[in-house]
Amino acid sequence: MTNSLPRTVLQSLNQALRQALADDPQVFLLGEDILDPYGGSFKVTRGLSTAFPERVLTTPISEAGITGMAGGMALRGMRPVVEIMFGDFSTLIADQIINHIAKFHGMYNNQVSAPVVIRTPMGARRGYGPTHSQTLEKIFLGTPGLTVLAPSHLQGGDEMGAPGQLLYDAILRQDGPTFFVENKLQYLLKLLTPENLQDYDVVESLPEDGFPAPCTTLSLRGAPPPQITLTAYGYMAHLALQALHSLAYDYEIFAELVVPTRLSPVHLDPLFNSLQRSGRLLTVEEGTMSWGWSAEVVARAAQALGPKLQKIGRIAARETVIPVAAELEEACLPQVSDIISQAREMVQA
C-alpha cells in the first residue's frame, strides 16, 4: 500500500493503522464514533472504515465492554486495536487491563497471548476541563505484562514516520498488550526529519530486549559537554526541546534531552549515559508529580549513579483538577518557561 509521506504525528498514526489493517487480516479496529465521515474525535481513524468496512467497528459507549471484547478477540488469534476516546476514560478499563488482559500470558502458563493495543489521547491545553484533560498513564505504569508506549515526533524521515512505526510495531510485532499514550497537542506537531534536526546531534538506542521503541538523545551540535540532562516524553519533549534551545542561546547553559518512547518496562540506559556527562537531572511530565513517571526515573537514576548524580529537579502539573479557563489551565501545567527557570537554578546554584 503506497501513501504519501506523513507530515504530522496524526498522519503518521493514521498511516500506521491503515498499513496494519492492510498487512494482516487479523487486525481489527474498535472504538466509539470511529466510522467515516467522523473518523474519531481526533481524526486518527479517518478513512479507515471506508477502506476496511468489515474490520473497523463502531461500538456502544462502554469502554470496559470494548476492552473486554478486545481481550477475547486476542485470545482467539486476532489483533484488536481499541481507541478510547479520551484518556480520562481509561479508568473505566483498568480492571480489564490490569486484572485480566495483562495477566493472561502468565496465568495460563505462557500458552496464550493477548496482543491488544489500546490507544488513547491524554493531556490538556484544549480547554476541555477536569474530566477530559488529564494525563493518567501513571495508573498503568509498572503493571506486569503490560507495555506502555508514548510516541515521539523527533524522527519522521522514513515512510511511515516514527510515531506510526511505533504503533505499527505494537500492533503486529508485540504479542502482549500495549497501552499507547498519545497527546492531544502532539497530533498536529510536524515530524522532525534529519533535515529539521541539522543543528542537533541525535543518537537513538533500543532496549536491550530488542523491542523497537527507540530512546532518543539530542544535544546541540558542537556544544560543550552538557551541564544538565532533561528528560521528557510525548508533548513534553516538544517543550523540553524548545527549552534546550533557549538555555543554550539565551543563557549559555548546555543541556542534553533524553526522550524515551517506552515508559514501561523502563528503558533508561541512555539517560544514565547522559547523566554520567552532566550530573544534573531535570524531569518533565504533564501528569501530576506525586507517584508519577518522574519519581521512578529519579529513583533509578539515583540508584544507578549514586553520588555522581549531583542535583535533581522535577517539573509536573500542579496537584489540582485541571480548570477550563485558559489562563488557569496554563497556570497549572508545565510550560517552557518553567523548564528554563528550574534548569538555570540547578546549574547556577
Side-chain angles (χ1 to χ4, degrees), residues 7-137:
R7 292 175 293 177
T8 66
V9 172
L10 189 152
Q11 291 172 349
S12 180
L13 296 174
N14 177 271
Q15 192 158 312
L17 291 169
R18 182 180 295 271
Q19 195 66 53
L21 285 160
D23 289 350
D24 191 333
Q26 295 303 314
V27 174
F28 289 78
L29 181 58
L30 299 82
E32 300 162 7
D33 294 335
I34 62 174
L35 300 187
D36 294 329
Y38 190 63
S41 290
F42 296 93
K43 312 310 174 189
V44 179
T45 61
R46 179 175 282 173
L48 300 182
S49 66
T50 300
F52 305 95
E54 295 182 355
R55 289 189 285 130
V56 178
L57 310 176
T58 190
T59 66
I61 303 174
S62 175
E63 284 76 13
I66 301 167
T67 307
M69 183 166 62
M73 293 170 69
L75 291 176
R76 293 296 300 270
M78 301 173 219
R79 291 185 172 271
V81 181
V82 173
E83 176 173 295
I84 301 298
M85 187 179 289
F86 282 85
D88 310 70
F89 308 156
S90 63
T91 57
L92 301 171
I93 65 173
D95 178 57
Q96 295 289 356
I97 297 176
I98 296 171
N99 286 329
H100 299 280
I101 295 173
K103 290 182 168 63
F104 285 157
H105 185 67
M107 284 174 60
Y108 298 114
N109 197 29
N110 303 335
Q111 297 180 74
V112 301
S113 60
V116 179
V117 174
I118 298 163
R119 299 179 34 254
T120 192
M122 295 283 186
R125 304 171 202 267
R126 296 282 296 259
Y128 290 160
T131 62
H132 290 68
S133 305
Q134 298 166 96
T135 299
L136 297 177
E137 56 267 16

Side-chain angles (χ1 to χ4, degrees), residues 204-240:
E204 288 196 352
S205 65
L206 297 176
E208 290 185 359
D209 58 16
F211 184 81
C215 186
T216 305
T217 303
L218 299 98
S219 58
L220 282 167
R221 186 158 293 168
Q227 297 159 279
I228 189 169
T229 296
L230 311 177
T231 186
Y233 64 88
Y235 186 71
M236 291 297 98
H238 175 63
L239 301 189

Side-chain angles (χ1 to χ4, degrees), residues 259-270:
V259 182
T261 56
R262 190 173 79 177
L263 308 183
S264 182
V266 294
H267 169 40
L268 295 177
D269 286 346

